Amino acid sequence: MIEQLHPRILENKDWATLLFVLTFAVVAMTKSAYETRFSEFSKLIFSDKYAKIYRDNNHLKSSFTVGLFFVQIVSYAFFIQLAMHILEYPGKTDKTDYILFIRIATFLLYFILGKFLIEKIVATSFNIDEFADLFNLQKVTYRTYIGVLILPINAILFYYDNIPKIIPLAIIGISLSISLYSYFISIKTYQNAIIGKLFYFILYLCALEIAPYYFMYYWITKEVA
């Protein structure tokens, strides 16, 4: 009886390994170059000291923010792809598909930058530039914090199989909780400015904080698969 041979399919994880190494290197270099600032940044969930010290809009363009923005994009793209794979939605998404990763990362990049530009235009139209800049800086800070937090978790989820579905769901829940906390801190910090322009703030919140994320969810679940 002749035994039939089947080709062995090997998953290509080299691209992911390279990205993980590069991303962790960026975090390490940022920590080394901005030791004090990174130390305060790492305590963000327990203290609002970082947000109070680095609230100047100039910090939005610093190498610290730019470096961690790269980390943020990579980390979120990995997590979205891994969550889709673990939750098997939609279909059976391959966590080693680098084409899918590029599509998700590219979409996130354009989404975040596009949203930022639209916010600037709307803020100028409503004459709330200063408040919008400070509010946006606060959001960027906490969003980056979440990205750095889940980066090592992404590495674990990527290299291990049979991950329980509760894990990505729990991470999503914690991330949403941190995001809501950041909004609470922002509203508390800038409450005087918000009260003075409450109508514009509500319009700003609905148009630029709720609708875009619904669109992103729709695109990822309907178009990426």
Side-chain angles (χ1 to χ4, degrees), residues 9-177:
I9 301 176
L10 297 176
E11 294 180 333
N12 181 12
K13 298 182 179 180
D14 292 345
W15 65 272
T17 301
L18 180 62
L19 261 181
F20 277 125
V21 171
L22 178 60
T23 310
F24 279 114
V26 171
V27 174
M29 288 187 292
T30 303
K31 181 180 179 181
S32 178
Y34 299 89
E35 188 173 350
T36 302
R37 183 174 179 179
F38 194 90
S39 177
E40 294 298 336
F41 174 77
S42 64
K43 304 172 186 174
L44 192 62
I45 193 63
F46 306 108
S47 171
D48 60 351
K49 184 179 178 180
Y50 177 90
K52 290 179 179 178
I53 295 175
Y54 301 98
R55 58 184 295 175
D56 192 318
N57 292 331
N58 294 326
H59 292 297
L60 196 60
K61 303 175 183 178
S62 68
S63 57
F64 179 92
T65 305
V66 173
L68 292 185
F69 177 73
F70 167 76
V71 174
Q72 174 191 156
I73 294 295
V74 172
S75 185
Y76 279 120
F78 262 122
F79 179 75
I80 290 172
Q81 184 166 348
L82 289 167
M84 292 172 66
H85 171 75
I86 296 170
L87 298 175
E88 299 181 357
Y89 181 83
K92 184 69 175 178
T93 305
D94 186 1
K95 66 179 179 181
T96 62
D97 185 353
Y98 69 92
I99 298 297
L100 177 59
F101 175 85
I102 293 173
R103 293 176 66 186
I104 295 174
T106 302
F107 174 79
L108 285 176
L109 179 63
Y110 281 106
F111 175 83
I112 293 174
L113 294 180
K115 185 172 179 292
F116 175 76
L117 291 176
I118 294 173
E119 286 177 353
K120 294 287 289 184
I121 295 172
V122 172
T124 301
S125 302
F126 290 165
N127 196 27
I128 53 173
D129 302 71
E130 183 179 356
F131 163 73
D133 287 343
L134 293 172
F135 189 61
N136 191 57
L137 179 61
Q138 191 97 337
K139 290 186 302 177
V140 168
T141 299
Y142 279 92
R143 190 172 63 227
T144 302
Y145 182 75
I146 295 172
V148 174
L149 276 183
I150 65 175
L151 180 61
I153 299 175
N154 286 333
I156 296 173
L157 296 180
F158 186 84
Y159 292 106
Y160 283 87
D161 296 321
N162 302 319
I163 302 293
K165 294 183 179 181
I166 189 64
I167 300 298
L169 292 175
I171 295 172
I172 293 172
I174 294 172
S175 299
L176 288 176
S177 298

Side-chain angles (χ1 to χ4, degrees), residues 128 131-132 135 183-202 204-205:
I128 53 173
F131 163 73
F135 189 61
Y183 280 107
F184 172 77
I185 293 297
S186 298
I187 293 173
K188 182 180 178 181
T189 303
Y190 309 118
Q191 57 183 333
N192 292 332
I194 291 173
I195 292 174
K197 299 181 178 181
L198 185 60
F199 172 76
Y200 294 120
F201 175 74
I202 294 174
Y204 176 92
L205 196 65

